Amino acid sequence: MMVLNCSTKLVILEKILKSHFPESLKVYGAVMNINRGNPFQKEVVLDSWPDFKAVITRRKREAETDNLDHYTNAYAVFYKDVRAYQQLLEEDDVINWDQVFQIQGLQSELYDISKAVANSKQLDIKLASFKAVHFSPVSSLPDTSFLTGPLPRLTYLSVADADLLNRTWSRGSNEQCLRYIANLISCFPSVCVRDDKGNPVSWGITDQFATMCHGYTLPEHRRKGYSRLVALTLARKLQSRGFPSQGNVLDDNKASINLLKSVNAQFLPCRFYRLILTPAPVSGQAHL
């Protein structure tokens, strides 16, 4: 195991990962953020360099942490050889097994290998699986012809909006999520539509892996075209900065799937897997 700290090597890694799309997208997004200021205090762990077979991004050990915060305590994984990934997991200093955390990736063996190692360490593991999507290039000016009312006020989120997002996110409504969302808003691109009073009514944010997430429109403002406008604008904002405009959607979220189809988003051949792992001593305290 080695931690890749050299800025030149990290740039090379970014280019290598790009050649392994779409399976490498989560790690690629994390590495892009590391190479552009590292606002989420991440680092890269590999089995070897330069001919690596497995790579994991994780939060720096010296960064402030909350052992119950699985939102922030997140690892992204890409491997060329699943056995190399398992060997990394089994090494003592790669994963902090004493906290609640998540593992993200786009490769089908991720769950079985992670579960086998987690079981040996007596951690509970929960799997969520999603369709993975990628947005086609978006024109420089958003098309507003699909809107059903007057042109909305399109802007970005502020940290003051974090409480609303925490309350409306299916994964939220807890202290750790509130802090996590505030950090995402502070660090990464977001888009929102505000009403006449300046309150957000529709929005989308970007996470630590450069993934578009928490796209949401308040119920009383739906069917106005806001979700489409927000998604396209956020995708364009990410693309303008050189980031891939990627996202995830649950199989039963028909409204979002129809929206993605309407904007010609590409449904990737691989799926997105999110694993949440919980040590037995804190299982009753974690918000999953």
Side-chain angles (χ1 to χ4, degrees), residues 57-84:
T57 63
R58 68 182 186 187
R59 192 155 169 87
K60 286 187 173 183
R61 291 299 171 90
E62 62 267 27
E64 183 178 347
T65 187
D66 175 350
N67 283 340
L68 299 179
D69 181 5
H70 72 270
Y71 308 94
T72 304
N73 305 331
Y75 300 75
V77 172
F78 169 70
Y79 50 80
K80 302 174 188 177
D81 182 339
V82 69
R83 293 168 297 181

Side-chain angles (χ1 to χ4, degrees), residues 10-120:
L10 285 166
V11 171
I12 294 171
L13 175 63
E14 183 180 317
K15 293 177 180 177
I16 294 172
L17 290 168
K18 193 171 184 178
S19 69
H20 291 281
F21 281 2
E23 289 84 0
S24 63
L25 269 169
K26 297 299 175 185
V27 172
Y28 178 78
V31 172
M32 283 195 75
N33 281 323
I34 291 172
N35 289 339
R36 288 154 184 79
N38 200 12
F40 242 66
Q41 301 182 72
K42 295 281 190 178
E43 64 185 7
V44 173
V45 177
L46 311 97
D47 63 318
S48 60
W49 178 263
D51 298 320
F52 67 89
K53 295 179 180 177
V55 55
I56 297 175
T57 63
R58 68 182 186 187
R59 192 155 169 87
K60 286 187 173 183
R61 291 299 171 90
E62 62 267 27
E64 183 178 347
T65 187
D66 175 350
N67 283 340
L68 299 179
D69 181 5
H70 72 270
Y71 308 94
T72 304
N73 305 331
Y75 300 75
V77 172
F78 169 70
Y79 50 80
K80 302 174 188 177
D81 182 339
V82 69
R83 293 168 297 181
Y85 169 55
Q86 181 169 351
Q87 289 169 2
L88 268 184
L89 277 187
E90 291 172 342
E91 291 198 30
D92 291 337
D93 296 331
V94 175
I95 303 291
N96 183 350
W97 299 98
D98 295 325
Q99 61 184 196
V100 187
F101 64 95
Q102 62 175 294
I103 298 175
Q104 296 193 9
L106 292 155
Q107 292 169 283
S108 58
E109 303 97 338
L110 184 70
Y111 174 67
D112 287 340
I113 296 300
S114 303
K115 187 175 188 297
V117 179
N119 286 348
S120 71

Side-chain angles (χ1 to χ4, degrees), residues 30 34 46-47 51 56 75 79 96 128 132 137 139 141 145 147 179 183 191 199 202-203 228 231 245 250 252 284 287:
I34 291 172
L46 311 97
D47 63 318
D51 298 320
I56 297 175
Y75 300 75
Y79 50 80
N96 183 350
S139 61
L141 293 175
S145 61
L147 295 171
R179 184 171 59 242
N183 287 336
V191 172
N199 299 312
S202 181
W203 57 82
R228 177 173 174 154
S245 45
L250 287 166
D252 60 358
H287 299 282

